[in-house]
Amino acid sequence: AQTVTQSQPEMSVQEAETVTLSCTYDTSESDYYLFWYKQPPSRQMILVIRQEAYKQQNATENRFSVNFQKAAKSFSLKISDSQLGDAAMYFCAYLDSNYQLIWGAGTKLIIKP
Amino acid sequence: GAVVSQHPSRVICKSGTSVKIECRSLDFQATTMFWYRQFPKKSLMLMATSNEGSKATYEQGVEKDKFLINHASLTLSTLTVTSAHPEDSSFYICSARDGRTPTNYGYTFGSGTRLTVV
């Protein structure tokens, strides 16, 4: 069975700085999809970025980018120019062959003004 | 973009009563709906998966007679917590798959329902 591990329960970063959230996963599949979701205090889950495993190029969405290392089964999220609105829980997720999302435990991101 | 409307956002009920939570896809057909439970400061725990017109598939350990899921139409899915007990108090979230887009685009989430059983 696939598993997703987020080893950082909490991270903090100074406003305007860059922060990287780590995520590792375990799977025997060769083709799959990975996601980062954000859950702000409102608790509305918001898709931040997604990555197809067959693509070697790292996905980028404005200030958000990933470092996808398929061999190492690593999928970290980099947030550049951190803003107060980035404060949230961030969840890494793996889409399995049953179209179900396998979730990591989450990382709470604190932005220091 | 796709929107899933979830109601109510908060509900308080007495022990022994039933509570219904609705998730409605506003501008797309939700071929598949996922229901999650989230404990404070924890990740999402999948409770069940439902496809329109079919019986829901429940995860191991989830009581299907207690958590009734109905997905009678492509735009509406409901979760009914029957004979609620204080331990059922939690945050419940639905997530829908838009049949128009590839699955790898991700799913759309409702805003969640905080259930408190007193």
Side-chain angles (χ1 to χ4, degrees), chain A residues 47-63:
Chain A
L47 176 64
V48 176
I49 200 165
R50 62 184 179 91
Q51 174 81 42
E52 292 94 332
Y54 64 86
K55 288 187 177 180
Q56 291 187 337
Q57 187 173 7
N58 290 322
T60 299
E61 288 287 341
N62 300 313
R63 298 183 293 108

Side-chain angles (χ1 to χ4, degrees), chain A residues 8-106:
Chain A
Q8 306 155 316
E10 186 174 297
M11 291 283 285
S12 63
V13 63
Q14 205 72 36
E15 192 176 4
E17 298 292 306
T18 296
V19 65
T20 298
L21 308 183
S22 62
C23 172
T24 58
Y25 58 93
D26 190 25
T27 183
S28 58
E29 298 176 339
S30 59
D31 201 11
Y32 48 86
Y33 302 93
L34 296 163
F35 303 87
W36 277 98
Y37 279 90
K38 167 184 177 181
Q39 188 179 39
S42 68
R43 304 197 73 172
Q44 172 72 59
M45 295 291 284
I46 302 167
L47 176 64
V48 176
I49 200 165
R50 62 184 179 91
Q51 174 81 42
E52 292 94 332
Y54 64 86
K55 288 187 177 180
Q56 291 187 337
Q57 187 173 7
N58 290 322
T60 299
E61 288 287 341
N62 300 313
R63 298 183 293 108
F64 299 86
S65 62
V66 299
N67 183 1
F68 174 50
Q69 302 289 329
K70 191 173 183 179
K73 296 180 182 175
S74 171
F75 182 59
S76 61
L77 174 69
K78 185 172 83 171
I79 305 174
S80 304
D81 185 26
S82 297
Q83 300 176 0
L84 294 177
D86 294 334
M89 283 291 292
Y90 285 81
F91 293 97
C92 178
Y94 172 103
L95 187 67
D96 74 8
S97 55
N98 291 321
Y99 303 117
Q100 293 178 356
L101 288 169
I102 310 299
W103 298 89

Side-chain angles (χ1 to χ4, degrees), chain B residues 52-67:
Chain B
E52 183 267 337
S54 303
K55 288 186 177 180
T57 302
Y58 290 81
E59 295 299 302
Q60 194 171 9
V62 177
E63 298 176 61
K64 58 183 66 177
D65 293 331
K66 181 168 190 59
F67 299 99

